[in-house]
């Protein structure tokens, strides 16, 4: 971070003089004042931030920025981050920002209202955020990352998560495989799709355009897209969804059409939100270790608040395929399944032993 | 609110003298200083708050306090409050506070970081909140109210919502009626239960203790409680749940036991969260007009920020029974129901025309 020392060096004055200029003291000659102000501008010196670092007492408050609080994944993530902060004696303040760049949160950081910021829904293109990172402000990206930002980032292995789903569906004999995409400007959607698509191609089952739809990480859009797929002449026998919210919409589309899951179509989500395990859905999904990610994020951010000179660190958590009754129809646990007497769909083997297989592969 | 004028009057000095004491000026005689400090203490004068009101520029930021962000009702409410604030040119900052008194948010109000606070999950017993209200701080209770606090409150008619459900279930012929309660320290749970219980008694069908369980506004607890009710020798034919999250748990309990909703048991929720209308649940519920409540809350709070002398105002919104397929099995809309060929449960008439009846009654 730029300090008053940098300003003093460039202007050829003492730090005391810089401090006097900041205080509006009349002990500084006009020409010197001009020189100091010009130097401040040139090096990008911000007295607010400087004042903050000079304070002996921190606010012990961390800000968290989220863009889509009605996606149940984020309340769960926020709850986990709140618990981790609480355990570290820190308070949490949230911004549910339509602006993913979180300009209001960045301003709060600038004014010393919070000591650092966690961004959970970052997308490309926020110049203000990039500028704050370049200045060395304590900023961490959680869940969604950005290669272009040189800051601490805690994410899961979305690429291998997508690959694991491709392996699972091809191994279980599916040939008509569909995909409900997430927004392209998010790293999570991009990496999950790339892993899924590349692995399917490697396995000789390239993803067909007519079985792919954009669902925007939204339940209603996913429901519409899935209804389109299911009412085609030759519908998919399995559909991978870019997140759990999308998968819930896909299941509801099937329900609305009187189709059975998994007998008529398999549905797979991503995240493992609490809802995914509820009996009415019980969907197979790729689990993100939310609590572990939250604890890592809080640890890294608090370390950075203590020492801004640390190099940027990236922690990548493994993801894990969790198999439930939206895919393999395992009769071993009748209490955890929706009641159905229908036979397993012809052409798709009933998989009972796969639940441990993906973990064995280290995903 | 207490001002420096009150302090000056009690101490028998000018406001300028009070100001000098606050600034630590040495132009005030020690005896006078003591008298001013004693007067400040006596009238409860807080220089922070005073400084805030003296500022020409507001923060244009409103704080919102919530205690249970993983209940999908609250993200929806927060989204609506955020939209209403956005339309009014205000920013929103959130506290997801395990402490329902929101001490951290109250401190932010005190320090002028926010202009006012909306409490969405207030419970009895926060002395700090009561004290802030007594001082006239801009504080509004939304969704949950408290009779003991003399401040602006925006709630729905939970009492009549509970009564409407009692009317509906008795009118449709149920005699084994169950109830999953919410936490007693919340106004919403208390009022919904009182309305339901009183009306059932008036109709000659008093609520039976053996069909009543505490479910704590939580999915897993509701699921366990509902499984207890359903595995009794003489299970209920209909269960009213204190909120939608509880009702989702109740439906999942039925699914886990292979019972059908509504053929084996009717389930009714409260709130009308988005999930309630999703095909896999599609539950009958009592709707709270979330967007209208959020707009009213923002309007009242901004008015109070402008003029703290306004009398406390209470806005009570009507609630509305919304009938879906977890109760009346209406064959008119096959696409919106879960697929089932089972006959309607004997003893419970299939109700097709009730969907407009409760609205006609003005609920």
């Amino acid at each position: 971070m730029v300090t008053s020392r940098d300003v003093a060096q460039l202007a050829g004055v003492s730090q005391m003089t810089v401090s006097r200029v900041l205080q509006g003291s009349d002990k500084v000659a006009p020409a010197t004042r001009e020189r100091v102000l010009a130097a401040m501008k040139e090096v990008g010196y911000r007295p607010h931030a400087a004042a903050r670092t000079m304070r002996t007492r921190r606010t012990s408050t961390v800000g968290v920025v989220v863009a889509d609080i009605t996606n149940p994944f984020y309340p769960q993530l926020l709850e986990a981050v709140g618990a981790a902060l609480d355990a570290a004696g820190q308070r949490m303040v949230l911004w549910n920002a339509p602006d993913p760049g979180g300009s209001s949160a960045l301003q709060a950081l600038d004014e010393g209202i919070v000591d650092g910021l966690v961004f959970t829904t970052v997308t490309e293109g926020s110049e203000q955020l990039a500028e704050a990172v370049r200045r060395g402000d304590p900023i961490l990206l959680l869940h969604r990352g950005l290669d272009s930002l040189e800051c601490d980032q805690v994410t899961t292995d979305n690429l291998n998560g997508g690959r694991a789903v491709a392996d699972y569906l091809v191994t279980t004999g599916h040939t008509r495989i569909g995909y409900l995409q997430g927004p392209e400007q998010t790293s999570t959607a991009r990496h999950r799709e790339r892993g899924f698509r590349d692995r399917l191609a490697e396995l000789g089952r390239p993803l067909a355009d007519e079985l792919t739809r954009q669902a925007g990480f939204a339940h209603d859009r996913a429901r519409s897209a899935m209804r389109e797929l299911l009412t085609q002449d030759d519908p998919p026998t399995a559909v991978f969804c870019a997140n759990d919210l999308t998968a819930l919409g896909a299941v509801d589309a099937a329900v609305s059409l009187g189709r059975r899951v998994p007998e008529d179509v398999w549905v797979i989500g991503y995240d493992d939100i609490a809802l995914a395990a509820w009996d009415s859905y019980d969907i197979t999904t790729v689990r993100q270790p939310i609590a572990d990610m939250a604890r890592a994020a809080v640890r890294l951010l608090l370390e950075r608040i203590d020492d801004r000179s640390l190099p940027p660190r990236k922690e990548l958590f493994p993801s894990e395929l969790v198999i439930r009754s939206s895919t393999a129809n395992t009769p071993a646990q009748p209490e955890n399944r929706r009641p159905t007497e229908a036979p397993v769909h012809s052409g798709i083997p009933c998989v009972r032993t796969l639940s441990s297989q993906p973990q064995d592969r280290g995903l």
Side-chain angles (χ1 to χ4, degrees), chain A residues 4-138:
Chain A
S4 64
R5 182 195 306 262
D6 304 313
V7 177
Q9 277 186 345
L10 185 64
V13 299
S14 69
Q15 277 181 265
M16 179 58 78
T17 303
V18 175
S19 177
R20 281 189 180 130
V21 170
L22 282 172
Q23 288 158 22
S25 162
D26 53 10
K27 291 181 187 162
V28 184
T32 309
R33 180 191 314 277
E34 285 306 311
R35 213 161 66 235
V36 169
L37 290 173
M40 283 180 185
K41 202 170 169 185
E42 193 170 332
V43 300
Y45 179 70
R46 296 174 315 146
H48 268 316
R52 184 174 68 235
T53 58
M54 285 189 295
R55 271 209 296 269
T56 51
R57 213 170 62 90
R58 293 215 188 103
T59 64
S60 295
T61 302
V62 165
V64 182
V65 182
V66 62
D68 184 12
I69 203 173
T70 59
N71 173 353
F73 174 78
Y74 291 104
Q76 271 185 248
L77 185 64
L78 296 175
E79 192 90 345
V81 171
L85 283 170
D86 200 50
Q90 307 289 307
R91 280 187 299 266
M92 176 171 72
V93 175
L94 301 175
W95 277 265
N96 184 38
D99 160 26
S103 59
S104 161
L106 286 170
Q107 191 184 332
L109 180 61
D110 197 32
E111 292 175 1
I113 292 167
V114 295
D115 298 331
L117 288 177
V118 175
F119 281 78
T120 64
T121 44
V122 76
T123 54
E124 300 278 1
S126 167
E127 187 44 45
Q128 201 186 351
L129 175 59
E131 174 63 28
V133 167
R134 275 195 294 274
R135 279 195 307 257
D137 281 356

Side-chain angles (χ1 to χ4, degrees), chain A residues 260 263 329 337-344:
Chain A
R260 291 156 307 173
E263 293 83 356
N329 199 2
R337 287 170 35 233
R338 76 198 64 202
T340 169
E341 294 79 36
V344 171

Side-chain angles (χ1 to χ4, degrees), chain A residues 148-170:
Chain A
S148 58
L149 285 190
E150 281 298 313
C151 64
D152 298 330
Q153 306 194 12
V154 174
T155 57
T156 46
D157 192 345
N158 292 295
L159 209 63
N160 270 319
R163 292 178 70 86
V165 175
D167 276 328
Y168 174 49
L169 292 179
V170 171

